[in-house]
Amino acid sequence: MNELMGLKAKLGLDVFKPAKEAHIKIKPGMERDPRLKKAVLVCPAGLYSENENGEVTLTIDGCLECGTCRLACGTEVLEWNYPEGGAGVQFRFG
Amino acid sequence: MEKFDAIVIGAGLAGLAAAYTLAQEGAEVLVLERGDYPGAKNVTGGRIYINPVRDLFPDLWETAPLERFISHEGVTMMARERSITVDYYGNELCEEPHQSYSILRSKFDRWMAKQAETKGAMLLGRVMVDDLIVEDGKVDGVFAGGDELRANVVIACDGVLSLTAEKAGLRQPGTAHDFAVGIKEVIEIDPALINARFNLNDDEGTARLYVGEVTKGKFGGGFLYTNKDSISLGIVVGIEDLMEGTPAVEAPTLMDEFKRRPEVSALIKDGETVEYSAHVIPEGGFNSLTNLYGDGIVVAGDAAGLALNIGFTVRGMEYALASGYYAAKAALKAKEAGSYRADTLSVYKTMLEESFVLEDFKNFKETPTVLNNPRFFTHYPELAGNLMRDIYAVPAGTKSRLYPTIKRYMTMGEMWSMFKDARKAMKI
């Protein structure tokens, strides 16, 4: 199987344990902040997207907890935490 | 209430090395890991160099679950339409003890945690540390999952973002400039195919770095490591360059385009991707290290910024293991002295300075600046590729003489630029 897989399919290979709530949140009022738009480019899981109103939205499912968005956007724009113990991605190979 | 000698946050290499060393000396140590198991949140490229840490853990290496010893060191300069690969193979790389091995962290970290537990360390999984307990200005334990856990010293090994060190005021959140993001696929593939495609005998392994078109001129590169029955394939890109967006390209697209390159796709053909991961890597070197200690706390591994890219070798795991070891030694000294204040724990920094860890970081202080040269990532791969193209081309008519062919690329202006880049590179 060497055809390129879609990002969704790749993330589907990983083991994720459910969390009680989203561990990363866009701070209210920051949806159009230019700093947030960087997340669309940098997220390895493609979880950020910009809608037609110029607002960036985040889908937390599939988060690899790498921290790239925290470094790219900063903590003024994102409320950033790791998920609670036992939740989130669990790498089987790493 | 029981008070531990030390609480280690994070069961990665730094944390486990600290716990192993402390437990070995009879100290009471508790390791807190937020993942389902040690290694669940950890990712490497990756390859580990054993020599620098062999003597710190003499009993570990005989039975460690490593993948293949690296017998082939490769680098591929990738231009848009062509590439040049150098594949180095040497007797010394094949002789025991081997200097480096490919490694998968979930497997290794789980095993290493068992070794630490055998020595007497206590490990709690699925526990997220929420905050530090601070008393009289000294870190005295942690709040985790509603519990209050006390310790004389906290060893923060909670990874590249280290929210713990941030809370202790030992570091700032960090800027995109000092970090890169790695994206990796583990691709399962028949070991016989691996050996045939990479010219490997038995347990030999290949490590290969790719530079150039892989990152579209951005700081970074690609990597490939052969494991026993899989290939670790991925890219590393500077986060700041990825944000700048010239050209604007999404990180996952870079990875897909790398896989699509014929030089790469042929190597992974008939393989099956079994995991997709990403991880941030410290790239700032010596100047971006965090404060290493405070009252009742020391910081080790990625959490302290201890990863070092010097172009041909990219290392982090040995620094994690060694800094964990020295953090434990410092905690033991503090126990002996009966004080866990910063002035006592400062011995940690002294030990790192006297070891290969901070000596390496000082020696390679200029490397991040030197490597952050766009010419390395676009211009040189294209230049070398074009030169090769012309040298190998046999046209219908007369073939150009060799010297004029070379001279076409090696103009005075080009040689002057090369000289300037070489002078900067001499700082490495």
Side-chain angles (χ1 to χ4, degrees):
Chain A
M1 190 187 62
N2 194 29
E3 316 82 70
L4 288 180
M5 308 168 77
L7 197 49
K8 280 250 158 60
K10 284 187 195 176
L11 292 169
L13 300 168
D14 294 346
V15 174
F16 293 96
K17 296 271 174 82
K20 284 192 209 96
E21 60 168 334
H23 61 278
I24 305 170
K25 288 175 193 153
I26 296 166
K27 287 193 177 169
M30 291 293 180
E31 295 82 358
R32 292 164 197 263
D33 194 286
R35 287 171 289 181
L36 188 59
K37 299 198 174 163
K38 305 292 184 192
V40 180
L41 282 177
V42 303
C43 177
L47 301 180
Y48 292 86
S49 53
E50 191 176 342
N51 66 20
E52 61 274 21
N53 300 326
E55 294 166 346
V56 175
T57 58
L58 161 67
T59 318
I60 200 73
D61 298 335
C63 177
L64 300 169
E65 300 167 33
C66 64
T68 308
C69 58
R70 189 178 197 257
L71 290 161
C73 308
T75 46
E76 280 174 32
V77 179
L78 292 175
E79 190 188 315
W80 205 103
N81 248 303
Y82 288 113
E84 73 253 23
V89 70
Q90 313 291 337
F91 293 118
R92 294 164 301 132
F93 296 90
Chain B
M1 190 176 51
E2 188 189 8
K3 188 167 186 178
F4 292 93
D5 288 319
I7 286 178
V8 175
I9 307 176
L13 293 180
L16 293 171
Y20 180 91
T21 309
L22 279 162
Q24 184 162 254
E25 299 296 325
E28 284 187 25
V29 53
L30 171 68
V31 185
L32 301 173
E33 164 57 42
R34 66 188 182 90
D36 244 359
Y37 42 82
K41 303 288 181 179
N42 304 344
V43 182
T44 176
R47 163 248 294 268
I48 183 165
Y49 291 91
I50 309 293
N51 289 342
V53 290
R54 196 182 304 278
D55 296 340
L56 302 184
F57 312 95
D59 307 330
L60 276 189
W61 306 114
E62 194 89 349
T63 50
L66 299 165
E67 296 292 316
R68 291 165 179 261
F69 71 84
I70 301 304
S71 55
H72 289 250
E73 300 278 2
V75 59
T76 297
M77 275 177 97
M78 221 172 226
R80 279 188 296 273
E81 297 175 351
R82 46 193 59 83
S83 65
I84 303 168
T85 296
V86 175
D87 187 2
Y88 171 72
Y89 183 58
N91 280 354
E92 81 289 351
L93 293 177
C94 300
E95 281 158 12
E96 295 205 50
H98 301 298
Q99 78 158 0
S100 75
Y101 289 84
S102 50
I103 179 174
L104 292 167
R105 290 290 301 280
S106 288
K107 211 199 276 184
F108 185 89
D109 292 11
R110 255 181 287 195
W111 173 85
M112 178 131 179
K114 285 216 179 72
Q115 311 312 305
E117 283 182 300
T118 308
K119 296 279 180 196
M122 203 173 137
L123 195 137
L124 280 181
R126 301 185 201 94
V127 176
M128 174 73 186
V129 169
D130 302 309
D131 212 344
L132 293 167
I133 301 174
V134 181
E135 266 181 20
D136 301 329
K138 173 194 170 291
V139 175
D140 204 56
V142 301
F143 295 106
D147 289 323
E148 194 182 309
L149 300 161
R150 295 277 175 165
N152 290 323
V153 61
V154 167
I155 305 181
C157 306
D158 52 334
V160 60
L161 297 182
S162 192
L163 304 186
T164 306
E166 222 176 280
K167 284 177 181 133
L170 297 177
R171 65 177 277 173
Q172 298 293 314
T175 60
H177 176 76
D178 292 333
F179 296 88
V181 55
I183 301 177
K184 176 172 101 158
E185 288 185 32
V186 175
I187 302 168
E188 271 185 1
I189 188 163
D190 181 353
L193 280 179
I194 295 180
N195 287 13
R197 286 177 190 172
F198 295 93
N199 287 332
L200 303 172
N201 302 303
D202 309 318
D203 299 330
E204 290 179 355
T206 281
R208 192 173 292 170
L209 300 179
Y210 296 80
V211 61
E213 181 60 14
V214 187
T215 52
K216 309 235 174 284
K218 301 174 193 299
F219 173 84
F223 61 83
L224 182 153
Y225 298 98
T226 58
N227 304 311
K228 282 200 170 94
D229 53 9
S230 65
I231 286 172
S232 293
L233 182 78
I235 56 165
V236 172
V237 202
I239 297 177
E240 191 177 46
D241 279 9
L242 203 51
M243 289 160 63
E244 294 299 329
T246 42
V249 50
E250 295 181 9
T253 309
L254 281 178
M255 178 69 199
D256 276 342
E257 291 189 359
F258 179 46
K259 278 181 80 179
R260 201 179 281 137
R261 285 288 298 224
E263 298 94 331
V264 174
S265 67
L267 297 173
I268 56 172
K269 191 169 175 291
D270 299 320
E272 188 182 355
T273 300
V274 290
E275 188 164 86
Y276 180 72
S277 57
H279 205 273
V280 165
I281 308 161
E283 293 275 359
F286 184 75
N287 295 324
S288 307
L289 292 177
T290 68
N291 291 317
L292 296 165
Y293 59 91
D295 286 321
I297 184 168
V298 290
V299 190
D302 273 4
L306 289 168
L308 194 58
N309 174 356
I310 60 164
F312 284 96
T313 62
V314 184
R315 298 168 51 190
M317 290 182 282
E318 310 82 68
Y319 299 122
L321 285 167
S323 59
Y325 172 87
Y326 290 115
K329 289 288 178 194
L332 289 166
K333 280 219 184 314
K335 190 182 176 185
E336 227 176 87
S339 162
Y340 294 86
R341 290 282 169 180
D343 54 353
T344 319
L345 290 172
S346 67
V347 66
Y348 170 52
K349 191 177 180 188
T350 312
M351 287 191 279
L352 287 179
E353 276 168 346
E354 286 166 1
S355 76
F356 73 96
V357 178
L358 284 186
E359 282 193 2
D360 279 358
F361 274 77
K362 281 178 193 160
N363 283 341
F364 294 102
K365 195 156 78 171
E366 302 294 337
T367 319
T369 323
V370 173
L371 290 181
N372 214 333
N373 177 350
R375 284 169 60 88
F376 289 140
F377 304 106
T378 321
H379 180 72
Y380 288 126
E382 292 296 336
L383 179 84
N386 290 342
L387 183 59
M388 284 297 180
R389 175 193 61 196
D390 292 357
I391 286 174
Y392 284 109
V394 177
T398 318
K399 182 168 167 58
S400 305
R401 284 179 54 227
L402 198 56
Y403 180 65
T405 306
I406 295 170
K407 223 177 94 185
R408 201 171 329 140
Y409 296 102
M410 301 301 279
T411 58
M412 285 308 281
E414 180 58 47
M415 292 208 297
W416 177 239
S417 302
M418 277 184 173
F419 173 72
K420 284 193 292 184
D421 285 340
R423 271 192 53 173
K424 281 185 216 144
M426 278 161 68
K427 287 185 189 159
I428 294 183

